[in-house]
Amino acid sequence: MSIRVFVNGAYGRMGEKTVKAILDDPELEIVGEGKRGDDLKALIIEKRPAVVVDFTSAEVVYQNALTIIEAGIHPVIGTSGLSESERAHLQAKSAQKKLGGVIAPNFSLGALWMMQCAEQIVAFFPHVEIIEKHHPGKKDSPSATALQTAERIVKSRKEKVSLSIQKETVKGARGALYQNIPIHSVRLPGIYAEQEVIFGGSGETLTLSHVTFDRSAFMPGVLLACKKVIDLDHLVYGLENL
Protein backbone atom coordinates (compact mmCIF):
# COMPACT_ATOMS: atom_id res chain seq x y z
CA MET A 1 0.00 0.00 0.00
CA SER A 2 1.34 3.45 -0.91
CA ILE A 3 1.98 6.13 1.73
CA ARG A 4 -0.57 8.94 1.68
CA VAL A 5 1.16 12.35 1.48
CA PHE A 6 -0.21 15.89 1.77
CA VAL A 7 2.04 18.68 0.48
CA ASN A 8 1.63 22.02 2.23
CA GLY A 9 2.97 24.89 0.14
CA ALA A 10 2.35 22.84 -2.98
CA TYR A 11 2.22 25.84 -5.32
CA GLY A 12 5.62 27.25 -4.41
CA ARG A 13 8.72 26.25 -6.34
CA MET A 14 9.80 23.57 -3.87
CA GLY A 15 6.22 22.41 -3.43
CA GLU A 16 5.69 21.97 -7.16
CA LYS A 17 8.86 19.88 -7.47
CA THR A 18 7.80 17.80 -4.47
CA VAL A 19 4.34 17.09 -5.89
CA LYS A 20 5.84 15.94 -9.20
CA ALA A 21 8.43 13.74 -7.48
CA ILE A 22 5.79 12.07 -5.33
CA LEU A 23 3.52 11.49 -8.34
CA ASP A 24 6.43 9.68 -10.02
CA ASP A 25 7.12 7.43 -6.99
CA PRO A 26 5.01 4.24 -6.85
CA GLU A 27 5.46 3.96 -3.07
CA LEU A 28 3.85 7.35 -2.42
CA GLU A 29 0.43 8.88 -3.15
CA ILE A 30 -0.56 12.56 -3.23
CA VAL A 31 -3.85 13.00 -1.35
CA GLY A 32 -3.90 16.78 -1.07
CA GLU A 33 -2.15 20.07 -1.77
CA GLY A 34 -2.24 23.11 0.49
CA LYS A 35 -1.56 26.78 -0.19
CA ARG A 36 -1.26 30.05 1.71
CA GLY A 37 -4.42 30.85 3.65
CA ASP A 38 -5.78 27.29 3.73
CA ASP A 39 -7.03 25.75 6.98
CA LEU A 40 -4.34 23.10 7.44
CA LYS A 41 -6.09 21.36 10.32
CA ALA A 42 -9.32 20.99 8.34
CA LEU A 43 -7.49 19.72 5.26
CA ILE A 44 -5.65 17.09 7.31
CA ILE A 45 -8.96 15.85 8.71
CA GLU A 46 -10.50 15.79 5.23
CA LYS A 47 -7.61 14.20 3.30
CA ARG A 48 -6.38 11.77 5.99
CA PRO A 49 -2.68 11.73 5.02
CA ALA A 50 -0.07 9.64 6.78
CA VAL A 51 2.61 12.28 6.11
CA VAL A 52 2.50 16.05 5.65
CA VAL A 53 5.40 17.73 3.84
CA ASP A 54 5.73 21.44 4.65
CA PHE A 55 7.43 23.88 2.28
CA THR A 56 5.80 27.17 3.30
CA SER A 57 7.48 30.13 5.03
CA ALA A 58 9.39 30.91 8.20
CA GLU A 59 6.47 32.97 9.52
CA VAL A 60 4.10 30.00 9.70
CA VAL A 61 6.31 26.89 9.86
CA TYR A 62 6.19 26.50 13.66
CA GLN A 63 2.39 26.66 13.82
CA ASN A 64 2.10 24.35 10.80
CA ALA A 65 4.41 21.78 12.38
CA LEU A 66 2.49 21.97 15.66
CA THR A 67 -0.82 21.48 13.81
CA ILE A 68 0.55 18.43 11.98
CA ILE A 69 1.88 16.81 15.16
CA GLU A 70 -1.24 17.53 17.20
CA ALA A 71 -3.26 15.84 14.45
CA GLY A 72 -1.13 12.70 14.88
CA ILE A 73 0.39 12.93 11.38
CA HIS A 74 4.05 12.39 10.53
CA PRO A 75 5.69 15.76 9.70
CA VAL A 76 8.39 16.27 7.08
CA ILE A 77 9.45 19.89 7.61
CA GLY A 78 11.61 21.45 4.91
CA THR A 79 10.79 25.07 5.73
CA SER A 80 13.57 26.93 7.52
CA GLY A 81 13.09 29.46 10.30
CA LEU A 82 12.54 27.33 13.41
CA SER A 83 14.47 28.39 16.51
CA GLU A 84 16.19 25.85 18.74
CA SER A 85 13.53 26.31 21.43
CA GLU A 86 10.73 25.78 18.87
CA ARG A 87 12.45 22.62 17.60
CA ALA A 88 12.80 21.35 21.15
CA HIS A 89 9.10 21.97 21.84
CA LEU A 90 8.04 20.16 18.67
CA GLN A 91 10.31 17.23 19.52
CA ALA A 92 8.80 17.02 23.00
CA LYS A 93 5.28 17.01 21.52
CA SER A 94 6.24 14.24 19.10
CA ALA A 95 7.84 12.20 21.87
CA GLN A 96 4.62 12.40 23.88
CA LYS A 97 2.70 10.97 20.94
CA LYS A 98 5.51 8.55 19.93
CA LEU A 99 5.17 10.14 16.50
CA GLY A 100 7.97 10.04 13.94
CA GLY A 101 8.99 12.96 11.79
CA VAL A 102 11.91 15.02 10.52
CA ILE A 103 12.95 18.67 10.42
CA ALA A 104 15.50 18.91 7.61
CA PRO A 105 17.48 22.12 7.00
CA ASN A 106 18.62 20.56 3.72
CA PHE A 107 17.39 17.53 1.75
CA SER A 108 20.43 17.44 -0.53
CA LEU A 109 22.63 14.37 -0.14
CA GLY A 110 25.66 16.41 -1.19
CA ALA A 111 25.01 18.95 1.58
CA LEU A 112 24.80 16.12 4.14
CA TRP A 113 28.18 14.78 3.02
CA MET A 114 29.65 18.29 3.28
CA MET A 115 28.51 18.53 6.91
CA GLN A 116 29.76 15.06 7.76
CA CYS A 117 33.19 15.80 6.28
CA ALA A 118 33.33 19.10 8.17
CA GLU A 119 32.79 17.24 11.45
CA GLN A 120 35.85 15.10 10.74
CA ILE A 121 38.11 17.85 9.39
CA VAL A 122 37.64 20.22 12.35
CA ALA A 123 39.62 17.87 14.60
CA PHE A 124 42.71 18.77 12.54
CA PHE A 125 41.76 22.30 11.40
CA PRO A 126 39.97 23.95 14.36
CA HIS A 127 39.80 27.43 12.73
CA VAL A 128 36.74 27.54 10.49
CA GLU A 129 34.34 29.96 8.82
CA ILE A 130 31.23 29.38 6.70
CA ILE A 131 30.12 31.31 3.60
CA GLU A 132 26.60 30.60 2.34
CA LYS A 133 25.19 32.10 -0.85
CA HIS A 134 21.56 32.15 -2.00
CA HIS A 135 19.21 33.96 -4.34
CA PRO A 136 17.75 37.31 -3.20
CA GLY A 137 14.36 35.72 -2.49
CA LYS A 138 15.67 33.73 0.47
CA LYS A 139 14.42 35.66 3.50
CA ASP A 140 16.32 34.00 6.36
CA SER A 141 20.01 34.53 6.91
CA PRO A 142 22.14 32.75 7.82
CA SER A 143 20.59 29.76 6.12
CA ALA A 144 19.37 26.78 8.16
CA THR A 145 22.01 24.65 6.44
CA ALA A 146 24.79 26.99 7.58
CA LEU A 147 23.44 26.98 11.13
CA GLN A 148 23.21 23.18 11.19
CA THR A 149 26.75 22.94 9.80
CA ALA A 150 27.99 25.18 12.62
CA GLU A 151 26.09 23.14 15.22
CA ARG A 152 27.59 19.88 13.98
CA ILE A 153 31.10 21.33 13.93
CA VAL A 154 30.69 22.63 17.49
CA LYS A 155 29.48 19.26 18.74
CA SER A 156 32.32 17.50 16.96
CA ARG A 157 34.79 19.82 18.73
CA LYS A 158 33.08 18.78 21.99
CA GLU A 159 32.36 22.39 22.86
CA LYS A 160 29.40 23.30 25.00
CA VAL A 161 26.41 24.06 22.73
CA SER A 162 24.24 26.82 24.13
CA LEU A 163 20.50 26.44 23.57
CA SER A 164 19.88 30.08 24.43
CA ILE A 165 20.29 31.44 20.88
CA GLN A 166 16.94 32.25 19.31
CA LYS A 167 16.31 32.86 15.64
CA GLU A 168 15.88 36.56 16.42
CA THR A 169 19.57 36.71 17.33
CA VAL A 170 20.61 36.01 13.75
CA LYS A 171 17.50 37.11 11.87
CA GLY A 172 18.44 39.17 8.85
CA ALA A 173 22.16 38.88 9.53
CA ARG A 174 24.52 39.03 6.56
CA GLY A 175 27.38 38.15 8.89
CA ALA A 176 26.87 36.36 12.20
CA LEU A 177 28.93 34.74 14.93
CA TYR A 178 27.18 31.49 15.79
CA GLN A 179 28.69 29.27 18.50
CA ASN A 180 32.03 31.05 17.89
CA ILE A 181 31.91 30.17 14.17
CA PRO A 182 31.62 33.13 11.75
CA ILE A 183 28.92 32.71 9.10
CA HIS A 184 28.78 35.04 6.09
CA SER A 185 25.58 35.31 4.04
CA VAL A 186 25.41 36.43 0.40
CA ARG A 187 22.12 37.17 -1.41
CA LEU A 188 22.60 37.89 -5.12
CA PRO A 189 20.86 37.27 -8.46
CA GLY A 190 22.40 34.45 -10.47
CA ILE A 191 22.91 32.24 -7.40
CA TYR A 192 20.57 29.48 -6.27
CA ALA A 193 22.21 27.76 -3.25
CA GLU A 194 25.90 27.40 -2.41
CA GLN A 195 27.95 26.86 0.71
CA GLU A 196 31.65 26.82 1.53
CA VAL A 197 33.21 25.66 4.79
CA ILE A 198 36.75 27.06 4.97
CA PHE A 199 39.30 25.63 7.40
CA GLY A 200 42.53 27.50 8.11
CA GLY A 201 45.78 25.91 9.22
CA SER A 202 49.44 26.79 9.40
CA GLY A 203 50.38 27.87 5.88
CA GLU A 204 47.32 26.27 4.25
CA THR A 205 43.55 26.27 3.93
CA LEU A 206 41.09 23.50 3.13
CA THR A 207 37.70 24.29 1.59
CA LEU A 208 34.58 22.17 1.34
CA SER A 209 32.25 23.48 -1.37
CA HIS A 210 28.72 22.43 -2.29
CA VAL A 211 26.67 23.98 -5.11
CA THR A 212 23.01 23.30 -5.85
CA PHE A 213 21.93 24.18 -9.39
CA ASP A 214 18.34 22.97 -9.34
CA ARG A 215 15.67 22.03 -6.80
CA SER A 216 15.65 18.49 -8.20
CA ALA A 217 18.73 17.91 -6.00
CA PHE A 218 16.45 17.91 -2.95
CA MET A 219 13.90 15.41 -4.20
CA PRO A 220 15.65 12.10 -3.35
CA GLY A 221 15.94 13.32 0.24
CA VAL A 222 12.29 14.41 0.38
CA LEU A 223 11.09 11.05 -0.93
CA LEU A 224 13.35 9.21 1.51
CA ALA A 225 11.96 11.25 4.41
CA CYS A 226 8.33 10.53 3.46
CA LYS A 227 9.06 6.81 3.57
CA LYS A 228 11.28 6.66 6.65
CA VAL A 229 9.29 8.80 9.10
CA ILE A 230 6.53 6.20 9.17
CA ASP A 231 8.82 3.86 11.13
CA LEU A 232 10.08 6.47 13.62
CA ASP A 233 8.63 7.18 17.06
CA HIS A 234 10.26 10.60 17.54
CA LEU A 235 11.03 13.82 15.64
CA VAL A 236 14.62 14.05 14.37
CA TYR A 237 16.58 17.11 13.27
CA GLY A 238 18.56 16.56 10.09
CA LEU A 239 18.12 14.13 7.24
CA GLU A 240 21.33 12.33 8.24
CA ASN A 241 19.33 10.67 11.04
CA LEU A 242 17.38 8.77 8.39
Side-chain angles (χ1 to χ4, degrees):
M1 180 184 295
S2 57
I3 299 170
R4 297 170 58 86
V5 182
F6 182 94
V7 178
N8 196 32
Y11 302 101
R13 292 176 180 175
M14 275 296 291
E16 289 179 348
K17 283 278 189 182
T18 299
V19 169
K20 183 180 185 306
I22 292 173
L23 287 171
D24 291 338
D25 192 310
E27 297 180 49
L28 302 173
E29 175 189 359
I30 286 282
V31 297
E33 302 173 18
K35 63 182 184 302
R36 185 189 299 271
D38 283 348
D39 186 333
L40 180 58
K41 182 178 179 180
L43 285 171
I44 288 174
I45 293 172
E46 176 189 351
K47 304 297 184 180
R48 296 179 295 107
V51 174
V52 174
V53 178
D54 188 276
F55 281 117
T56 53
S57 68
E59 293 78 14
V60 296
V61 59
Y62 173 69
Q63 187 55 54
N64 287 348
L66 198 58
T67 298
I68 296 164
I69 292 167
E70 289 178 342
I73 308 301
H74 298 279
V76 172
I77 307 299
T79 309
S80 59
L82 289 168
S83 68
E84 291 179 13
S85 61
E86 288 172 337
R87 290 199 322 252
H89 184 243
L90 294 172
Q91 287 175 316
K93 283 280 187 182
S94 294
Q96 290 173 4
K97 290 180 171 287
K98 298 189 183 303
L99 182 69
V102 62
I103 299 168
N106 200 311
F107 285 99
S108 160
L109 302 184
L112 296 185
W113 275 111
M114 175 185 60
M115 287 186 268
Q116 183 166 325
C117 290
E119 287 181 313
Q120 298 170 7
I121 292 169
V122 76
F124 306 95
F125 290 82
H127 302 285
V128 56
E129 300 200 12
I130 298 170
I131 302 174
E132 57 92 356
K133 306 174 185 178
H134 285 83
H135 55 86
K138 184 170 180 61
K139 295 180 180 179
D140 57 314
S141 60
S143 68
T145 301
L147 291 174
Q148 189 190 18
T149 304
E151 289 173 6
R152 291 180 62 172
I153 289 172
V154 168
K155 290 178 182 177
S156 180
R157 289 199 302 204
K158 299 183 172 19
E159 295 179 5
K160 182 179 179 182
V161 179
S162 169
L163 297 179
S164 63
I165 286 186
Q166 303 294 318
K167 64 183 179 182
E168 289 77 18
T169 308
V170 293
K171 182 178 180 182
R174 299 298 281 270
L177 189 66
Y178 186 82
Q179 307 290 353
N180 295 320
I181 297 176
I183 303 175
H184 311 274
S185 297
V186 176
R187 298 290 179 267
L188 287 173
I191 299 172
Y192 178 57
E194 304 177 15
Q195 180 167 295
E196 291 183 346
V197 186
I198 306 173
F199 299 88
S202 178
E204 63 180 335
T205 62
L206 189 157
T207 301
L208 293 174
S209 178
H210 178 256
V211 180
T212 303
F213 299 100
D214 186 81
R215 291 175 178 82
S216 58
F218 305 120
M219 292 305 107
V222 173
L223 299 178
L224 174 73
C226 290
K227 297 168 187 178
K228 291 291 187 180
V229 294
I230 298 294
D231 298 322
L232 294 179
D233 62 359
H234 61 292
L235 179 63
V236 299
Y237 177 62
L239 191 67
E240 67 275 9
N241 293 288
L242 305 184

